Amino acid sequence: MMEQYLSIKNRYKDSLLFYRMGDFYELFFEDAIIASDALDIALTKRGKSNGKDIPMCGVPFHSADNYLPKLIKKGFNVAVCEQTETVEEAKLNLKKGPLKREVVRIISPGTLTEDNLLQRKNNNYLGAISIFNGSISVAWVDVSTGYFKSRLIGKENDLNQKQLLTNFMLRKDFSEILISDDMDMDYIIDEWHPILKKQSPSLFHYQSCFDQICSYYSVVSLEGIGSFSKGEIIAAGVLLSYLKLTQCGKIPFLSMIKSENINSFLEIDYFTQKSLEILKNLSGNSEGSLISSIDETKTASGARLLRQRIIEPFYDLNLIQDRYDVINWILGNNIDINNYQNCLKAIPDLERSLSRISLLRGSPRDLLLISKGLLNTKEIFENLTLDQQKNLKPKLLNSILDSLKIDYSLFLNITKALKSEVPLIAKEGGFIKDGFNAELDFFRNLRNNELNQIMKLQRKYSELTKISSLKIKHNRMLGYHVEVRTIHDQSIRNIDLFIHRQTTAQASRFTTNELVDIETQILNSFDKAIKIELEIFNNFANQILQKGKEILKIVNSISELDISFMVASQSVFRNYVCPNISNDKILEITGGRHPVVEHQMRLTQGSFISNDCKLNNKDFIWLITGPNMAGKSTFLRQNALIAIMAQAGLFVPAKKAKIGLFDKIFSRVGASDDLARGQSTFMIEMIETSLILNTSTEKSLVILDEIGRGTSTFDGLAIAWSVLEYLHEKIKPTTLFATHYHELTVLKDNLNNLSCHRMSVKEWNNSIIFMHKILDGEADKSYGIHVAKLAGIPSEVTEGAAKILSDLQNKNQTKKSYSKEVFTINLKEVENFLKEFDKIDVDDISPRQSLDFLYKLKLKRQGIGKSKFKK
C-alpha cells in the first residue's frame, strides 16, 4: 500500500494527497505534518520507513467537505485519490496487493465547483498571465459558472504596464493566478505572491495553446470567435491545459471565450473602487458598501452579474439604453413585479449545477435543481409573453424572450422521473420514482420480497432455536448474519444448520446456506437496480449537456431580468429615477442622494438631505470648501456612485439626472498609512494622484478630496494649487475638488471653467450646526475648534486652542499689513530710481557724473532701509 501511495504522490508533488483508505482519506509523511497543523487534527503514525515511524493523519470520507475549505482557503492544492477498482474486478484479474487507486481530481482555489466552498454572489476566478513580445495579456475563467474571458492589458510601448496590470488584477480579486516559471517577477506586486502558481514555460507555447482552444471549441480557426492577441491566446490555452490537468482529463462546460476591449466599459481603478467603497467598506467588510446596499437580486447569477456591472459599468450608450427600455417597459405596463421576483427566487444556481454535471461530479440533486429552475423560467417566459402584448416590446426584452423559447420537455421528464428528495451521490441509488421504469420496478420488488423473506427466516430460526432475542442483521463486513447473545452461543452451535462466523464480547454471529442464497439474490437485485438508475441519470445528464449553450443563454437572460425587476422595484420603493444618458460633457444631478448612507438612514428612520450637482462643458470643475464633518466627502462620493450606477444600467437616487458617458472614474478620497509597505499617507496620496494626472482624459470624472493634507501647509497648498491648475488647463476632466485650503478660491478669477461652492454651516450659541447642504461661494472659516468640541475634546484644550488661534491671527494680520506697506514703499522708490536712470545717456556721461550717480543710488538704498526699519 505504501509503495502505491508513494508512486501516486510522486506524480502530484505540489498537492496534498487525500489517499482513500476505506472510510477515510489518509495523508502520510510531510503531507500529514502539514495537514494536521492546517486542520488542527491529531498527527499519528502508521508503519515504518527506513526504520523511522511514518507520520499519518486522516479525515472521515463522509465529512471531508468540512475539512477541504480550510485547506483551500490557506492556498493548498488537494489531490483526491479514490479506489477505482472493485474487489470483484481484482479477483477476476487474479491481482494481488492493494486495489487500484487513482487521483480523480485536483482541488485548487481557482477550480472549485462545490457550493459549500464558494460564495453564492461572487465569481471565483482562475487567471493566467502571459508576456508575449513585450505585451501583457490576461485570461480568466470561473470554472463553477463557465465564464471565460481574455484581455490585452498593456503593450510594450506603454510606460505604465505594471500599473495597468496591478489595477486590473486587484479589481478582479483572483483566487489563483498561473504564470510561467521564467516570468519577470518585477511585474508582480508582493500581494499576489501567495496565490501565484508557477507553471512550466513549455505550457506557454503559442501553437500548443492555439490548438488547445481550437480543440475545445471544435473549430479550426478563431476568426469566427473573435479577435485575440497572441498573448491572450497563450493565456487562454494555459488555462485550458491547467483545467485538463486538475480535472484529470475532464474540462467543464465553458461559454465561448470573449476578448474584453479596454474601451468597452467605464474603467474604475482599484484605488477608486476602494475609496468609493463599491464592493467593501474601508474596513474590508461588505456591509456598508455600494453593492450590499443596492443588491436586491433574487438569483445567484443575477447577483454575480450585478457585481460585475458595478465594477465594470458600460461605456456604450446603446447597451445602457437597452436596459433602461426594459425597466421602463416593466414600470409602464403595470407589471406585477413582486410575482416575477417570487418566481426568480425559486430559480437555483443553474450555472454551477451545469458545471458540476459537465465535470462528472453532478448529483441527482443537480439534475433536479436544473429542471425545476428551468421550469420556473418557462413560467416567467409564458407570463412575459402575455404581458408583452400590452405595449411595444423593447429590443432587449425580445432577445431575452427568444433565448427562453426552448423545448422544456426534457426538464419536465426529469422532474417526473426524480423523487422530491434525492441523494447527493448518484451511486447510492434510490432517486428514481416508482413507476418511471418497469425494469427498475421489477428489481426493486424482487429486493423487497427478498427482504420479506429475511424477516420470515428470522421468525423461523427464532422458533427453531427457542431464542426469542435472535435477530438477522447486516453490516459491511459480514453482510446478512444471525446474531444471538453470547449466552446462547453453545446451544446454537449444536444445531448443524448454523455456521459460525464471529464472536464478540456481547454477541455470537452465524450464517446459513439459506441466508447466503437470499443475500446473493438481494445483492444482485440491488446492483441491477442501481445500474439502471445510473443509466437513467447519465442519460439525463448527457441530454442536459447537449443543451448546455442554451442553458447558459437562459441564465444570462434570467440574470438580466432579475436586475431589471430589482431596479423597477427600487424605482417604486426607493424613489430612484431613470437618468438621461448622453455623450455630452455633463453631470447634472438634481436632488442627488448617497445610495449607501440613505439606505442606512432609512433603516434607522432618518432622512437624507439631498444636494444638486451641476457640472458641464462651461463649468467642469467645482472647488468645494467647508469644515470637516460638514458633508464634503459624502457629496463627492455620492455623485461618483450615481455616475457608476447610471452607466451600469441602474436607476439612481435623485429627483432628476443628466449624465454624460465617462470613460474612467478616479476618486482620491481619504488615505491611511501602509506600514507594511513602508508608505506614509502622503506617499499613498501622491501615488494615487499621479495615476489620475497620468491616465485621466477629458471624458473622465475626477473626485479629489483634501489633496496635500499629508504634508506641511505650504507644500500641501502648493501641490493642491498646481494639481487644480493642471486639471483645468491640460486634462479638463469633469472634476469635484474639495479642499480645506481656502487660499485656492482665488483661482476662480483666473480659471474660467472653475466655480466655488461651500458646505452650509450655521453658528448658534457658540456652537455650529452642519446643514449638509451645498451652496454657491466659498467658506470663510474652517471651524476646526468647533469640530474639536463636537468630537469631545476637553473644554480646557479647545479654549486654549481658541486663544492661540486668536493670537496667531492677530500676528498674521500685523505681518500682512506690514508686508503690504513695505512692499508699497519699495515699489515707489524703485519706480523713482528707474525714471531718473532712464534720463541718463550712457554714451555721453563723464566719470565724475557716474560717480555722483552711484553715491545718489547708495543714499536712496539707505533711505529705503531706514524707512523699513522705522516701520
Side-chain angles (χ1 to χ4, degrees):
M1 184 276 287
M2 194 51 66
E3 283 180 5
Q4 185 189 62
Y5 170 86
L6 291 171
S7 172
I8 296 170
K9 175 63 186 174
N10 194 47
R11 298 198 297 273
Y12 299 94
K13 293 177 182 176
D14 296 332
S15 303
L16 297 176
L17 183 62
F18 265 41
Y19 181 83
R20 181 74 177 273
M21 287 282 287
D23 286 338
F24 278 79
Y25 284 120
E26 297 187 354
L27 301 96
F28 299 95
F29 297 103
E30 187 67 21
D31 281 8
I33 296 169
I34 293 170
S36 66
D37 181 55
L39 298 173
D40 194 23
I41 57 176
L43 180 67
T44 60
K45 56 189 178 182
R46 175 179 288 184
K48 292 183 181 291
S49 175
N50 296 325
K52 293 182 180 179
D53 290 331
I54 299 173
M56 187 273 284
C57 71
V59 299
F61 159 74
H62 62 271
S63 59
D65 283 351
N66 297 329
Y67 294 96
L68 283 171
K70 295 180 183 177
L71 295 173
I72 301 304
K73 283 177 184 174
K74 293 183 178 182
F76 294 108
N77 284 10
V78 177
V80 180
C81 180
E82 298 285 3
Q83 183 179 303
T84 56
E85 182 183 45
T86 65
V87 175
E88 290 73 21
E89 286 169 341
K91 285 178 180 176
L92 284 174
N93 296 327
L94 304 175
K95 182 183 174 182
K96 294 182 179 180
L99 297 174
K100 186 179 179 182
R101 288 174 175 82
E102 292 177 303
V103 169
V104 296
R105 177 191 178 195
I106 300 173
I107 307 174
S108 69
T111 61
L112 302 175
T113 57
E114 290 80 1
D115 286 333
N116 64 311
L117 301 179
L118 294 165
Q119 292 184 336
R120 178 179 177 270
K121 294 186 174 184
N122 292 3
N123 282 101
N124 185 55
Y125 288 132
L126 167 70
I129 304 173
S130 75
I131 300 179
F132 185 80
N133 288 342
S135 294
I136 302 177
S137 298
V138 180
W140 62 101
V141 64
D142 183 344
V143 177
S144 69
T145 65
Y147 186 92
F148 196 8
K149 281 197 172 185
S150 66
R151 180 175 173 184
L152 175 62
I153 297 294
K155 298 178 181 177
E156 54 188 330
N157 57 347
D158 290 338
L159 297 176
N160 54 344
Q161 267 189 327
K162 182 178 180 179
Q163 187 68 63
L164 289 170
L165 180 63
T166 300
N167 282 331
F168 175 77
M169 301 302 278
L170 287 170
R171 195 170 70 239
K172 281 295 177 189
D173 193 22
F174 285 86
S175 295
E176 190 176 0
I177 303 171
L178 310 178
I179 63 168
S180 174
D181 201 27
D182 59 3
M183 180 176 169
D184 182 358
M185 294 297 285
D186 285 345
Y187 287 105
I188 311 293
I189 62 172
D190 295 342
E191 283 88 334
W192 298 348
H193 288 195
I195 61 170
L196 293 178
K197 296 287 171 65
K198 292 188 175 183
Q199 305 295 306
S200 168
S202 61
L203 204 65
F204 289 73
H205 181 257
Y206 170 74
Q207 190 58 48
S208 62
C209 289
F210 178 86
D211 293 342
Q212 281 277 8
I213 300 170
C214 290
S215 172
Y216 180 77
Y217 289 113
S218 301
V219 294
V220 293
S221 168
L222 299 183
E223 288 180 8
I225 297 175
S227 176
F228 302 89
S229 68
K230 286 193 172 182
E232 288 175 90
I233 289 170
I234 291 171
V238 166
L239 287 178
L240 290 175
S241 297
Y242 186 75
L243 289 178
K244 192 179 286 185
L245 171 71
T246 56
Q247 308 310 305
C248 298
K250 304 178 287 291
I251 296 186
F253 194 92
L254 303 177
S255 63
M256 192 65 74
I257 185 171
K258 291 182 180 177
S259 177
E260 189 180 78
N261 189 313
I262 197 166
N263 297 318
S264 62
F265 55 84
L266 163 62
E267 192 148 349
I268 308 170
D269 70 273
Y270 173 69
F271 298 121
T272 299
Q273 181 179 299
K274 192 175 176 182
S275 78
L276 292 179
E277 301 178 288
I278 294 174
L279 297 181
K280 294 177 181 177
N281 63 25
L282 294 177
S283 303
N285 302 315
S286 61
E287 188 179 349
S289 65
L290 175 65
I291 192 71
S292 72
S293 299
I294 65 170
D295 184 6
E296 294 176 323
T297 52
K298 304 302 177 185
T299 66
S301 59
R304 291 192 290 267
L305 181 61
L306 177 64
R307 185 184 176 91
Q308 181 192 326
R309 288 264 175 86
I310 286 295
I311 57 173
E312 292 181 347
F314 298 113
Y315 186 55
D316 185 318
L317 204 59
N318 295 326
L319 294 177
I320 299 169
Q321 195 57 52
D322 284 344
R323 272 74 195 167
Y324 288 159
D325 289 345
V326 173
I327 300 160
N328 286 322
W329 181 86
I330 292 169
L331 292 168
N333 283 285
N334 199 27
I335 303 293
D336 188 341
I337 297 170
N338 188 55
N339 181 48
Y340 278 102
Q341 288 192 311
N342 284 333
C343 284
L344 288 164
K345 199 184 290 185
I347 296 176
D349 202 333
L350 302 174
E351 288 174 305
R352 288 183 171 168
S353 286
L354 179 64
S355 177
R356 286 191 289 272
I357 289 171
S358 70
L359 288 166
L360 306 184
R361 286 200 293 276
S363 68
R365 188 174 296 179
D366 286 314
L367 288 185
L368 197 58
L369 286 173
I370 287 177
S371 300
K372 284 187 173 180
L374 287 171
L375 290 176
N376 276 318
T377 68
K378 180 174 183 283
E379 184 182 341
I380 291 171
F381 167 73
E382 289 168 350
N383 290 338
L384 277 173
T385 305
L386 292 173
D387 284 333
Q388 71 171 339
Q389 294 169 3
K390 295 179 180 178
N391 257 327
L392 189 65
K393 46 193 174 175
K395 182 177 68 174
L396 178 59
L397 185 58
N398 265 333
S399 176
I400 288 171
L401 290 170
D402 285 344
S403 69
L404 299 181
K405 198 183 296 179
I406 66 164
D407 181 3
Y408 288 90
S409 58
L410 167 64
F411 312 111
L412 192 61
N413 199 25
I414 291 174
T415 56
K416 287 179 179 177
L418 299 184
K419 295 178 180 178
S420 56
E421 294 293 327
V422 292
L424 280 173
I425 301 172
K427 289 178 182 177
E428 293 177 359
F431 51 87
I432 300 295
K433 289 178 183 174
D434 290 337
F436 180 77
N437 182 284
E439 190 180 6
L440 175 62
D441 290 344
F442 170 78
F443 286 112
R444 279 181 175 171
N445 291 331
L446 196 62
R447 186 179 64 193
N448 291 336
N449 290 335
E450 286 153 357
L451 289 171
N452 289 333
Q453 287 185 53
I454 292 280
M455 298 309 296
K456 287 178 184 177
L457 271 185
Q458 181 176 297
R459 288 194 294 272
K460 174 183 170 183
Y461 292 158
S462 181
E463 291 169 3
L464 176 66
T465 59
K466 306 272 192 294
I467 302 171
S468 59
S469 60
L470 180 147
K471 300 286 184 217
I472 294 181
K473 295 186 175 181
H474 182 274
N475 67 31
R476 292 185 61 178
M477 292 294 295
L478 299 179
Y480 285 100
H481 57 273
V482 177
E483 182 174 293
V484 295
R485 293 201 299 270
T486 47
I487 56 172
H488 301 297
D489 179 86
Q490 193 55 50
S491 63
I492 203 168
R493 283 177 188 261
N494 293 332
I495 302 173
D496 291 339
L497 177 69
F498 296 98
I499 305 162
H500 180 259
R501 295 292 305 276
Q502 188 182 62
T503 299
T504 67
Q506 279 82 35
S508 292
R509 291 163 181 161
F510 301 84
T511 189
T512 68
N513 290 329
E514 193 176 13
L515 183 58
V516 169
D517 290 342
I518 294 174
E519 180 180 23
T520 302
Q521 291 170 10
I522 289 173
L523 288 175
N524 285 340
S525 58
F526 180 78
D527 288 343
K528 286 174 182 176
I530 289 284
K531 187 178 178 183
I532 292 168
E533 283 197 81
L534 286 175
E535 284 174 358
I536 295 170
F537 172 83
N538 290 329
N539 182 41
F540 281 145
N542 288 331
Q543 289 184 69
I544 279 179
L545 287 178
Q546 287 169 14
K547 289 182 172 285
K549 287 182 182 178
E550 289 177 301
I551 292 172
L552 286 182
K553 281 183 182 177
I554 288 172
V555 169
N556 190 56
S557 294
I558 288 298
S559 303
E560 289 281 4
L561 283 174
D562 192 4
I563 294 173
S564 296
F565 280 110
M566 178 198 84
V567 176
S569 174
Q570 289 172 346
S571 174
V572 175
F573 295 106
R574 294 195 185 192
N575 294 319
Y576 284 10
V577 299
C578 181
N580 180 2
I581 300 287
S582 70
N583 281 312
D584 300 330
K585 188 183 182 76
I586 191 169
L587 181 64
E588 292 193 356
I589 298 165
T590 305
R593 311 181 307 270
H594 193 298
V596 181
V597 178
E598 183 188 41
H599 180 65
Q600 291 174 331
M601 289 180 75
R602 186 184 285 115
L603 298 177
T604 58
Q605 305 301 312
S607 59
F608 188 88
I609 297 171
S610 62
N611 271 299
D612 298 346
C613 175
K614 307 229 169 172
L615 291 154
N616 49 52
N617 204 36
K618 292 179 180 177
D619 187 11
F620 58 77
I621 296 183
W622 270 25
L623 180 63
I624 304 162
T625 50
N628 292 324
M629 293 177 62
K632 295 195 303 292
S633 295
T634 299
F635 177 72
L636 264 59
R637 282 190 173 104
Q638 82 182 33
N639 289 297
L641 293 177
I642 286 171
I644 287 169
M645 290 172 69
Q647 288 193 220
L650 309 177
F651 282 14
V652 299
K655 289 182 181 176
K656 193 163 62 170
K658 291 182 180 179
I659 300 173
L661 276 184
F662 294 110
D663 61 352
K664 300 171 186 175
I665 287 186
F666 297 95
S667 172
R668 219 260 116 226
V669 183
S672 58
D673 290 348
D674 190 342
L675 299 177
R677 295 174 65 186
Q679 292 182 339
S680 67
T681 301
F682 183 63
M683 173 56 84
I684 293 172
E685 180 182 314
M686 289 301 99
I687 289 171
E688 294 174 14
T689 305
S690 165
L691 178 69
I692 294 169
L693 297 179
N694 286 319
T695 58
S696 61
T697 73
E698 192 173 354
K699 294 217 65 168
S700 301
L701 174 61
V702 174
I703 308 295
L704 291 167
D705 188 15
E706 310 287 19
I707 286 293
R709 65 180 166 182
T711 185
S712 69
T713 302
F714 291 116
D715 278 357
L717 173 58
I719 290 169
W721 189 301
S722 188
V723 166
L724 199 48
E725 284 187 327
Y726 189 84
L727 288 169
H728 185 277
E729 299 297 321
K730 296 287 184 183
I731 307 174
K732 302 182 179 180
T734 302
T735 305
L736 290 169
F737 195 109
T739 185
H740 61 281
Y741 295 127
H742 298 161
E743 296 86 346
L744 291 177
T745 56
V746 301
L747 284 168
K748 69 180 185 296
D749 299 327
N750 300 322
L751 305 181
N752 297 330
N753 304 113
L754 178 146
S755 62
C756 291
H757 303 266
R758 62 188 173 90
M759 301 308 299
S760 177
V761 177
K762 297 291 183 186
E763 292 190 51
W764 184 73
N765 280 355
N766 201 29
S767 184
I768 57 169
I769 301 169
F770 299 120
M771 307 304 291
H772 300 114
K773 202 75 182 168
I774 193 158
L775 306 173
D776 291 341
E778 58 235 41
D780 54 354
K781 294 182 187 178
S782 65
Y783 296 98
I785 293 172
H786 291 85
V787 173
K789 283 181 185 176
L790 292 175
I793 297 292
S795 58
E796 288 180 36
V797 176
T798 54
E799 286 167 11
K803 272 187 179 183
I804 293 167
L805 177 63
S806 178
D807 291 343
L808 287 172
Q809 285 174 337
N810 289 335
K811 286 180 182 176
N812 194 40
Q813 195 61 41
T814 304
K815 185 179 175 185
K816 279 182 183 175
S817 62
Y818 154 74
S819 300
K820 186 176 180 183
E821 202 165 338
V822 170
F823 186 62
T824 306
I825 292 168
N826 282 337
L827 275 178
K828 286 180 180 176
E829 292 290 342
V830 170
E831 191 177 349
N832 290 335
F833 169 73
L834 289 174
K835 282 181 180 177
E836 199 169 337
F837 181 78
D838 288 340
K839 295 176 184 176
I840 297 170
D841 185 352
V842 179
D843 293 327
D844 187 23
I845 186 171
S846 68
R848 177 67 187 176
Q849 286 174 319
S850 298
L851 192 59
D852 287 343
F853 184 76
L854 285 173
Y855 275 116
K856 201 172 185 179
L857 176 60
K858 182 76 172 174
L859 286 170
K860 284 186 183 293
R861 181 68 174 161
Q862 286 173 346
I864 293 170
K866 283 174 186 175
S867 65
K868 183 176 179 183
F869 179 74
K870 285 175 188 174
K871 285 289 175 187

